[in-house]
Amino acid sequence: MSTEQNNIRFSRRNFLRTSALASGGMLVGFNLFTACKPEAKPAVDIANLNFNDFNAFIKIADNGYVTIFSPNPEIGQGVKTAMPMIIAEELDVEWDKVHVAQAKYNKKEYKRQVAGGSQSIRFGWDALRQTGATTKQMLINAAAAKWGVDANTCKASKGIITNANGDTLGYGEVVSEAAALEVPEDVTLKKPSEYTIIGKDALNVDLDNIVTGKPLFGLDYKADGMVYASVLRPPAFGQKLESFDDAETKKVNGVTDVIKFGDKVAVIGSNTWAAMKGKKALKAVWSDDQNLESTVDHNKELIKILDGKEFDTRREDGNVKKAFAEADKVLERTYDSPFLPHNCMEPMNFYANVTAEKIHLVGPIQTPQWTAGRVAQLLKRKEEEIDLEMTRMGGGFGRRLYGDFALEAAEISNLAKKPVKVVFSREDDMTDGIYRPAIKYRIAASIKDGKLTGYHLKEAAINSNMYDLIPNFFPAGCIPNYKVSTKSYKSDITTGAWRAPYTNFLAFAEQTFFDELAEELKKDPVELRLELLQNVKDSTDEKIEYSGERMENTIKLAAEKSNWKEQKEGVFKGFAAYYSHNTHVAEVAEIEMKDGLPVVKKITAAVDCGILINPTGAINQIQGGVLDGIGHAMYGDLSFENGKPSHKNFDTYRLIRMNETPQVDVHFVKNELSPTGLGEPGLPPAGGAVANAIYKALKNRLYKQPFIKELSSKKSEVLS
């Protein structure tokens, strides 16, 4: 099955510019989404941010070397390597002659400069290929004109154009002439069988600089005259600053200024140590409002929602109430997840230099356009005055979508009249975050005559705004009477997207619930899922987002590669499958017991993400997502007491450790379908697979995360 279009037409208007460069060569700009998918919209609008389309550029030098500008932020998901690979494939140049550069933020010429939702490759696929193919055709047309032959008799490969007589010209020899030609509207794209770059392993383009310590990240950035800022923020969500005393702060060597802005205080220093030490010396008085929403017991509030009747219906098929009333049995379970911080390896940081002429911003940000617009609004300046440069990020996971740290830097620089770099400490990062919201799910299913007849999913969440993520995923369409209901509780605590938003926990809840249903129905867990998928394979319901056929193939591959039905003494297997960010993933976890606790030894993952761009990068993304999913499901826990986070640093906040990371084997379903996301889909099934394996070992169902905490609690209950 293939989605390829070999001959493709588009409007010349989508080529933003084609121009000769003063230094020789040409620069090509191409509007990536409006060219071939004007109706395309992101499947998930992360936190309702204004994500539009984006562009890409190629610069071809007269020596034949090619620079491909990567417009999207690089947070470790590999787009800075993969997106240029797609262009280079259709351009037909040798990959070792390609230089990749990070583009700056440019609202006029790049319209979807964002990293979020694992959408960059999916949305860029068609147009990235068109960019390369169209540029190649322009070069062929220029060579044909030079030879005085028909362009249809010429071909290009590895940066060399050849005519029917065997004459050759390098791209660099015709690039100036090509820059003056009209943009062709008809171009031919390669067939997958013709690929020489796509599908081949490529090292990350930043790898050498990363391992040799070259400055790439926001924390590496320095500028002449730059000072550092450490910010004192309210210790509890919802508190306000009443007063502060900076007498001791100003005695700290290296502290140069103390600036109040809003309910925050910035300590300016000549280095980060001085600024952070000065902040610790600040004496602040905060409002003591016991009626703050952040002091409420969130667990009780979420239970109230689940026990109540006021819900918003997101999807309803058939008659769930009737199915439950007529059932032989109704199984109902409640699942509970905590808040989670993002804990990026690189703490939040950003540089700003606000002058009368312009606002220069530099740093790690997932949403440069949205951030630039907010800075302009904050400082009452024109957005055209903002010059924003993106650095590589030491992790994002959704935290760097929001840009609050960039706004702080801009505001402080504006007040200090100096170039300022705001740097969070680890404590700042963990206590003033934008957290994964605490969520409870209640799932009920009806069984009649040995079959599933009804299914009702209820969600109660803190500050939820992503309801569109859950109604049309599995098992929508598989069960005749199906309903999804949601309700949110508002809190002062800032919450938002966290890697694989909402599905990161929902997958655990639903996939462990289906294992429990399989046991009730006396069916193999894998077989139950495959049976249910038969009901959706030929569905005409356009609202259903996943593919029954692709999910079935993925499940079968995972079962095959893991030897699902093979039993080994002391080894316990658990299965889970999930669709998110347009990708189907199935995982089998293998655990062993040690000192009464489960040890995850191996994960076998099967993935259908369409065509693989860079296999090495794809494997890395799935492995990283799996380990992240296991680590947080097993250990991740953050609560709030009187509006304050319960953990401030890694001495008390538990992460997965090196010796706890299992072997992760990754297998891909082979097809020629357009590629989908990989940065997030590996995470959601991991927790469910591990929980189902733990049940096999202990006959103990898990309904809460983190698992270690719940297992310890249940062990204590048994002992008492």
Side-chain angles (χ1 to χ4, degrees), residues 101-398:
Q102 177 67 60
K104 294 170 64 174
Y105 160 67
N106 189 314
K107 182 179 180 179
K108 180 180 178 182
E109 296 175 340
Y110 298 102
K111 295 185 180 179
R112 193 188 182 272
Q113 284 185 283
V114 62
S118 297
Q119 298 296 299
S120 295
I121 296 297
R122 174 177 174 251
F123 275 94
W125 171 244
D126 286 336
L128 287 166
R129 289 185 299 155
Q130 285 182 0
T131 301
T134 302
T135 306
K136 179 176 75 173
Q137 189 61 53
M138 293 174 70
L139 293 161
I140 290 173
N141 291 349
K146 203 166 188 176
W147 285 319
V149 301
D150 187 340
N152 291 325
T153 65
C154 304
K155 60 183 181 180
S157 177
K158 297 182 178 180
I160 303 294
I161 304 160
T162 307
N163 64 22
N165 297 323
D167 301 322
T168 61
L169 285 170
Y171 283 179
E173 296 177 86
V174 295
V175 67
S176 297
E177 292 87 343
L181 297 180
E182 277 197 10
V183 176
E185 289 193 5
D186 291 287
V187 295
T188 300
L189 302 179
K190 286 184 176 183
K191 298 175 183 178
S193 60
E194 299 172 326
Y195 292 159
T196 59
I197 295 175
I198 291 175
K200 304 297 190 297
D201 291 331
L203 293 178
N204 189 298
V205 294
D206 284 335
L207 185 60
D208 286 345
N209 288 335
I210 291 172
V211 298
T212 56
K214 298 292 193 307
L216 282 172
F217 299 90
L219 283 175
D220 296 326
Y221 185 80
K222 294 181 181 179
D224 291 341
M226 183 181 82
V227 293
Y228 295 84
S230 184
V231 178
L232 181 69
R233 304 172 182 87
F237 285 91
Q239 281 191 315
K240 306 294 181 184
L241 178 65
E242 293 189 346
S243 64
F244 69 95
D245 180 353
D246 60 5
E248 293 301 315
T249 295
K250 290 182 175 179
K251 294 178 183 178
V252 174
N253 185 35
V255 170
T256 58
D257 205 355
V258 178
I259 298 174
K260 177 183 179 297
F261 63 111
D263 285 301
K264 305 173 185 178
V265 182
V267 177
I268 310 297
S270 56
N271 54 70
T272 54
W273 174 248
M276 290 179 180
K277 188 176 180 182
K279 183 183 72 173
K280 288 184 178 180
L282 269 176
K283 297 176 182 177
V285 178
W286 306 94
S287 63
D288 187 20
D289 188 348
Q290 295 302 312
N291 296 317
L292 292 174
E293 285 186 5
S294 57
T295 65
V296 173
D297 186 327
H298 296 103
N299 184 60
K300 290 181 179 179
E301 291 299 321
L302 293 176
I303 286 291
K304 283 182 185 178
I305 291 174
L306 288 179
D307 290 340
K309 296 182 179 179
E310 294 184 8
F311 277 88
D312 298 316
T313 299
R314 300 296 166 179
R315 177 176 175 133
E316 185 170 13
D317 302 337
N319 190 328
V320 170
K321 187 175 181 181
K322 182 181 178 183
F324 282 14
E326 297 176 350
D328 297 328
K329 183 171 185 177
V330 174
L331 188 71
E332 182 179 272
R333 298 290 183 261
T334 300
Y335 300 85
D336 186 1
S337 73
F339 291 94
L340 285 181
H342 291 83
N343 284 334
C344 306
M345 182 68 74
E346 176 192 20
M348 300 304 108
N349 65 91
F350 222 79
Y351 167 88
N353 185 17
V354 180
T355 64
E357 293 75 29
K358 72 172 184 177
I359 300 170
H360 186 203
L361 304 173
V362 185
I365 184 70
Q366 291 180 241
T367 51
Q369 180 174 334
W370 189 55
T371 301
R374 292 166 68 209
V375 169
Q377 185 178 25
L378 173 70
L379 301 182
K380 296 179 172 58
R381 299 281 290 269
K382 294 179 181 179
E383 197 168 331
E384 292 73 23
E385 298 176 56
I386 293 179
D387 177 24
L388 191 155
E389 298 179 51
M390 292 174 284
T391 63
R392 190 180 178 94
M393 290 172 250
F397 314 117

